[in-house]
């Protein structure tokens, strides 16, 4: 348990940051789910549109420190390959 004032403040800051990061991760997952659903339906136009909308969200996750840049690069590569394969 935090005893010093500094430790108490850090605990408060960590909780606030946790909530922000949780919301960001949830938002990113929502965009990824939309891409997955469009791929599953076989609609190439919808899938490419959803992918274009998901890209900035993923990159924002990198800049905000929620995701690692290589993780996002891998996800984008795999998703774009799957969208391209629809046809």
């Amino acid at each position: 348990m935090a005893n010093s004032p500094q430790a108490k403040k850090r605990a408060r800051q960590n909780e606030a940051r946790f909530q922000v990061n949780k919301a960001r991760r949830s938002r990113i997952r929502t965009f990824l789910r939309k891409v997955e659903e469009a791929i599953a339906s076989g609609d190439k136009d919808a899938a490419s549109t959803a992918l274009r909308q998901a890209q900035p969200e993923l990159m924002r996750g990198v800049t905000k420190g929620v995701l690692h840049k290589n993780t996002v690069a891998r996800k984008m590569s795999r998703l774009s390959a799957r969208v391209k394969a629809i046809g």
Side-chain angles (χ1 to χ4, degrees), residues 35-62:
V35 177
E36 292 286 346
E37 289 170 356
I39 290 171
S41 71
D43 187 357
K44 189 166 187 167
D45 291 334
S48 60
T49 303
L51 183 63
R52 275 198 304 275
Q53 290 174 345
Q55 279 177 327
E57 290 299 323
L58 283 164
M59 293 315 296
R60 194 169 297 123
V62 172

